[in-house]
Amino acid sequence: MPSLDKRSKKKQRVDGSSGDDEPGTQGARNDALLAKVDPEYLNKPIDIKQGEAKTRALVASLGTVKKKLGESIKTLIDIAGEMAETLSEEHRDEDYHEDAKLAALKNDKIMSQLDRDFRAALDREAELDIRMTTASDLRMRIAQGHQMTNVHKWYEDKAKDKLEEYTSKTPRQRYENNVLFERYRTLVWESYTDGRGVPNIKKFLPREEGDDESDDEDFEFGAQTHNFQCPITLSTLEDPYSSSLCPHSFSGDAIKELIKSSGGRSPCPVSGCDKSLTLGTVHADEGLRRRVAAHVRRVKEGRAPGATQGRTFEQMDLDSEDEDEDDDGEEAHRVKKEMIKAARA
Ligand SMILES: [Zn+2]
């Protein structure tokens, strides 16, 4: 390949390397160096093999960043849930009014900061998705033999257009169908209100200019309180699995066993549901798992909705100290709550 030969000679001349060019770090360093010396270097026509390798490396490194971001997002959800639970203790004796709770949540300094951080993380994730799609698109074009000269510019321009399209969206358009946003707001709401049903998402994302005006008409139905019960075992959900065909969830072992024992396909066990489930249409539901764990804590502390109310916060703390002696999870949770409390003081 003549073009490759020419380039590696050029590399040797510029960085003075002996030519024992290992792929990977050395190559990347050479590229960076060449781009500095000759900004046009990255814009020279590239051959298929080299282009394919470069774009594949780009997609892979974007994927690594996205994975790390995903971990931070999960941590942020946990922190927000803990924080909301701690705050709920300060408002336990107040009457429950959905709109007042929404306003209090929005006006709390820490919760609103967490909300901003969370949305910023989702935006960053959307940006990474855009960059990965653009890089994959570029990789395909190179593989198909498209004549491409300004490769770097093509990538940046294309990504920039899509990013501008994203940032011109309203919050409702950005987050309304985002699974992680849903996970965040349900956990925060239930933790903040001792397990009350979470209001319609449109209340969390008020209509702004640019949103469909008729969009707000049909959401004034009451929020449903989740009972976290498995329709098969009739006990609290364990290792919850959710259906991707209907809004139903089950204890993991119970639904998997049911499907297997029915020859790989079982009608949804919720009466009135006409979906038929396979192992491919149910999935472990991490968001629900967090909500169940918070629910179990509330029940244990006697503050689930409908629970006979009466224990004060001080009593609860004393009780939990006794109960928690041989329970590491609960103990860790108590310590975390105390740390949050101390941080706020
Ligand atoms: Zn169902």
Side-chain angles (χ1 to χ4, degrees):
M1 251 173 277
S3 70
L4 256 181
D5 289 341
K6 225 186 281 166
R7 192 150 313 153
S8 50
K9 257 180 221 147
K10 193 174 175 190
K11 272 181 194 169
Q12 284 166 26
R13 205 179 58 228
V14 172
D15 69 7
S17 74
S18 55
D20 54 345
D21 209 347
E22 3 162 342
T25 55
Q26 183 71 34
R29 221 175 301 140
N30 285 343
D31 281 357
L33 198 65
L34 278 161
K36 223 181 272 174
V37 177
D38 173 9
E40 278 305 302
Y41 168 73
L42 289 171
N43 296 332
K44 296 267 161 67
I46 54 174
D47 64 81
I48 291 178
K49 204 175 154 198
Q50 197 187 14
E52 146 81 10
K54 279 190 177 183
T55 45
R56 185 155 25 97
L58 177 60
V59 174
S61 73
L62 287 168
T64 309
V65 178
K66 196 186 161 184
K67 205 173 154 208
K68 281 184 189 150
L69 179 66
E71 315 258 303
S72 316
I73 287 176
K74 281 182 193 164
T75 309
L76 211 46
I77 293 176
D78 277 341
I79 292 172
E82 302 273 354
M83 196 64 226
E85 196 172 321
T86 305
L87 286 173
S88 75
E89 287 161 3
E90 295 169 11
H91 302 281
R92 190 142 298 145
D93 46 354
E94 291 167 12
D95 286 340
Y96 178 81
H97 294 296
E98 190 176 280
D99 289 341
K101 285 285 178 194
L102 258 171
L105 206 48
K106 198 178 261 182
N107 292 331
D108 183 83
K109 233 174 122 185
I110 295 175
M111 289 315 295
S112 61
Q113 183 60 52
L114 279 167
D115 188 76
R116 277 196 297 278
D117 292 346
F118 188 70
R119 292 181 191 210
L122 294 185
D123 291 343
R124 180 78 180 116
E125 191 176 52
E127 184 192 335
L128 284 167
D129 281 337
I130 286 170
R131 292 194 173 278
M132 281 170 82
T133 319
T134 311
S136 301
D137 196 8
L138 175 63
R139 188 180 161 193
M140 210 173 68
R141 293 174 72 91
I142 291 170
Q144 285 168 347
H146 283 264
Q147 272 297 325
M148 305 199 62
T149 41
N150 290 327
V151 170
H152 190 246
K153 189 176 182 305
W154 185 93
Y155 170 76
E156 285 301 337
D157 286 353
K158 198 88 173 175
K160 197 174 145 238
D161 285 351
K162 290 191 204 159
L163 280 169
E164 274 169 9
E165 192 194 322
Y166 178 81
T167 45
S168 71
K169 287 182 179 178
T170 65
R172 189 179 281 188
Q173 290 161 351
R174 288 185 201 184
Y175 314 121
E176 189 174 7
N177 297 310
N178 187 306
V179 177
L180 292 168
F181 185 79
E182 183 63 17
R183 192 181 285 185
Y184 178 89
R185 77 177 188 108
T186 41
L187 183 68
V188 164
W189 184 263
E190 287 171 352
S191 302
Y192 190 60
T193 64
D194 287 342
R196 307 278 181 151
V198 61
N200 189 288
I201 190 160
K202 293 184 165 69
K203 287 205 172 183
F204 288 78
L205 301 169
R207 190 166 69 79
E208 289 185 11
E209 204 176 325
D211 286 323
D212 191 351
E213 283 193 39
S214 63
D215 227 20
D216 272 1
E217 281 164 8
D218 57 352
F219 74 85
E220 288 296 339
F221 49 82
Q224 295 284 307
T225 299
H226 208 296
N227 71 359
F228 301 107
Q229 194 190 57
C230 170
I232 306 169
T233 66
L234 303 180
S235 328
T236 304
L237 288 164
E238 274 177 54
D239 178 28
Y241 267 57
S242 291
S243 157
S244 21
L245 305 176
C246 52
H248 301 130
S249 304
F250 323 90
S251 289
D253 285 346
I255 189 66
K256 282 185 272 186
E257 226 166 85
L258 182 71
I259 291 171
K260 279 182 207 153
S261 67
S262 329
R265 179 176 290 274
S266 160
C268 176
V270 173
S271 64
C273 183
D274 61 357
K275 298 296 178 204
S276 142
L277 304 176
T278 63
L279 289 179
T281 53
V282 295
H283 57 274
D285 189 333
E286 200 188 338
L288 186 54
R289 190 176 53 72
R290 281 159 211 258
R291 291 167 62 200
V292 173
H295 166 76
V296 168
R297 270 200 305 276
R298 287 193 291 271
V299 171
K300 205 172 172 187
E301 294 174 2
R303 51 187 176 84
T308 41
Q309 170 256 2
R311 293 205 293 177
T312 65
F313 178 38
E314 283 77 13
Q315 280 171 329
M316 225 171 58
D317 262 4
L318 286 176
D319 289 352
S320 56
E321 254 164 34
D322 295 339
E323 287 163 12
D324 288 344
E325 262 174 348
D326 49 11
D327 189 336
D328 288 346
E330 284 298 310
E331 175 63 11
H333 178 71
R334 195 182 58 79
V335 170
K336 230 190 276 177
K337 277 208 290 198
E338 267 169 20
M339 279 165 64
I340 291 173
K341 253 185 262 168
R344 297 191 78 221

